[in-house]
Amino acid sequence: MPITIDSDIRKAKTLPSSYYTNPEIFSDLRRRFANHLHFAGHQSQLDGQTAIPIQHMGELIGEPMIMTRSDRIRCISNVCTHRGMLVSSTECSAKSLKCPYHGRTFGLDGTFRSMPRFDNVSDFPSPEDNLKEFVTASWKGLIFTGVGNSSSEGNFQELRKRLEWIPIESFKNDPSRNRSYEIDANWLLYVDNYLEGFHIPYVHSDLNNTLDYDSYRTELFEGGTLQIGIASEGEPSFDLPESSPDFGLRVAAYYYWLFPGTMLNFYPWGLSVNLVIPLSVNRTKIIYHGYVGDPLMLGRGAGGNLDKVELEDQEIVEATQSGVESGSYDRGRYSPTMETGIHHFHRILTRTDD
Ligand code: FES
Ligand SMILES: [Fe+2]
């Protein structure tokens, strides 16, 4: 029976616990990932390279991809059109891609180039022998891709309105900030936790010292949310230009979440991207990428020690998984001031038209 979440947060109940525990609901929600564009990477990951595999697209939507740079940046299939081997497993700077199985080669745009011992094959090569190219959308060096027709234009408008002044396109990929975690919890719990700053004083003592809790704010938009952390006295904040809608505020962090599992966290030092990858009903992978704009701001303020904050969150989320699996819990209620982001997420999840 379809669940609805009341649009009035004061009346609404949170998601039933089956959303976090039932494998069929998990699979239904998981299928919806294919309807959305997902973060592929930042253009600086291709500095000095012509091709990098994007492992996580295989895990997210079942399409292993390669991000390539030639006349432009593309996301193409990493699946060889001969017998399905993965073409690329590491980054490379070659002018073509060669399948390690039987040596079929492709251009960086995915077009078939050559294949040994195929001289007498009829109707070969054909367009079907090219690596498939996927739709991409980019904004200030951030590349998004996917298999569906979904547009990310709405999300870009939100980002543009706020952050057009940040030179994100000149940020540099910092592989030392890459992380990959697997946790014993449903992906929805990880997202729920991300979408509220309510828990900060209870769970993140150090982070709490850097933020002015009473000034924390959440904004909602179609397909996502923005949380703005305001710096406490003496803590680092963005140097906002007059063109920023937040000019005059001491913003320590912009936390963007884009449905279903992309998190773009902007700090004065740069951008930390978290990707939430559902593995099973009670197992989730979280991938971090870091792109640095101002190295002098690293290690300070709200974005200063992300590893500690992450582990604090994981502990809570895993414990909550065992809670929602118990027979004594089904649904809770929302704080009308502190949990608007989660309410918005749950409304999107329970919509039937997506
Ligand atoms: S599977 Fe790629 S060349 Fe055979
Ligand atoms: Fe947290």
Side-chain angles (χ1 to χ4, degrees):
M1 171 147 131
I3 288 294
T4 50
I5 304 284
D6 200 302
S7 59
D8 182 345
I9 192 169
R10 296 166 307 169
K11 296 184 183 153
K13 286 186 172 175
T14 61
L15 285 178
S17 57
S18 54
Y19 271 71
Y20 306 100
T21 59
N22 181 315
E24 280 169 34
I25 296 178
F26 170 82
S27 302
D28 281 352
L29 296 176
R30 191 76 185 71
R31 270 194 285 281
R32 284 168 60 180
F33 275 59
N35 302 339
H36 296 269
L37 292 185
H38 298 268
F39 178 78
H42 182 275
Q43 63 186 16
S44 64
Q45 288 170 253
L46 281 161
D47 287 352
Q49 314 290 345
T50 52
I52 51 171
I54 331 172
Q55 270 4 330
H56 67 260
M57 295 308 294
E59 296 173 305
L60 272 172
I61 54 172
E63 285 292 350
M65 293 187 194
I66 317 173
M67 191 157 72
T68 63
R69 187 205 292 271
S70 49
D71 54 325
R72 61 184 169 85
I73 292 179
R74 292 180 171 81
C75 292
I76 59 175
S77 171
N78 193 8
V79 180
C80 181
T81 48
H82 177 218
R83 284 192 11 232
M85 171 66 178
L86 296 185
V87 175
S88 162
S89 56
T90 53
E91 54 196 32
C92 80
S93 54
K95 292 205 168 64
S96 61
L97 302 164
K98 185 173 189 176
C99 176
Y101 203 175
H102 314 95
R104 182 171 291 198
T105 58
F106 304 90
L108 293 169
D109 60 358
T111 50
F112 172 91
R113 286 263 183 87
S114 66
M115 177 76 188
R117 315 275 173 150
F118 258 55
D119 297 342
N120 295 318
V121 176
S122 62
D123 300 327
F124 181 85
S126 77
E128 283 169 18
D129 299 300
N130 298 334
L131 297 175
K132 183 177 168 157
E133 180 177 347
F134 295 97
V135 60
T136 55
S138 66
W139 175 70
K140 293 182 85 72
L142 303 175
I143 318 290
F144 293 79
T145 188
V147 289
N149 298 319
S150 174
S151 152
S152 55
E153 201 37 51
N155 293 337
F156 286 166
Q157 265 170 25
E158 287 300 321
L159 290 158
R160 221 174 259 139
K161 214 165 61 186
R162 221 70 192 222
L163 305 183
E164 193 64 37
W165 63 274
I166 302 182
I168 302 164
E169 63 281 7
S170 58
F171 286 4
K172 290 291 169 217
N173 179 40
D174 178 358
S176 76
R177 299 185 172 274
N178 290 356
R179 303 281 185 278
S180 176
Y181 302 99
E182 287 194 19
I183 61 168
D184 289 324
N186 183 281
W187 70 280
L188 302 172
L189 285 180
Y190 189 88
V191 177
D192 286 354
N193 176 69
Y194 179 87
L195 292 179
E196 47 93 353
F198 194 6
H199 68 274
I200 293 174
Y202 305 101
V203 176
H204 307 299
S205 53
D206 289 348
L207 173 62
N208 191 43
N209 290 333
T210 72
L211 293 174
D212 176 359
Y213 187 60
D214 292 330
S215 307
Y216 197 87
R217 55 189 73 189
T218 302
E219 296 184 12
L220 314 178
F221 55 88
E222 177 70 27
T225 67
L226 164 64
Q227 295 169 83
I228 302 180
I230 303 295
S232 339
E233 220 29 65
E235 289 293 333
S237 60
F238 283 100
D239 192 9
L240 297 174
E242 274 182 49
S243 61
S244 162
D246 307 313
F247 181 67
L249 293 177
R250 301 190 58 257
V251 175
Y254 288 102
Y255 303 107
Y256 276 93
W257 163 74
L258 309 177
F259 184 87
T262 301
M263 296 156 178
L264 307 175
N265 308 297
F266 293 91
Y267 304 106
W269 62 257
L271 166 65
S272 173
V273 178
N274 315 153
L275 304 175
V276 182
I277 300 172
L279 299 177
S280 74
V281 70
N282 55 9
R283 191 122 175 113
T284 302
K285 187 176 201 175
I286 298 106
I287 293 179
Y288 271 68
H289 285 287
Y291 308 100
V292 177
D294 182 354
L296 295 177
M297 296 304 284
L298 282 165
R300 300 173 55 205
N305 190 347
L306 299 180
D307 290 336
K308 179 167 188 280
V309 174
E310 174 64 25
L311 295 179
E312 289 164 348
D313 281 324
Q314 289 181 8
E315 200 176 310
I316 290 286
V317 167
E318 288 187 329
T320 307
Q321 180 71 33
S322 25
V324 297
E325 283 171 2
S326 91
S328 51
Y329 179 84
D330 187 30
R331 305 181 76 170
R333 304 292 301 272
Y334 300 97
S335 160
T337 52
M338 306 301 281
E339 294 179 311
T340 53
I342 305 192
H343 178 245
H344 184 55
F345 175 41
H346 293 177
R347 297 258 307 151
I348 297 174
L349 277 174
T350 50
R351 230 165 42 191
T352 47
D353 59 351
D354 184 75

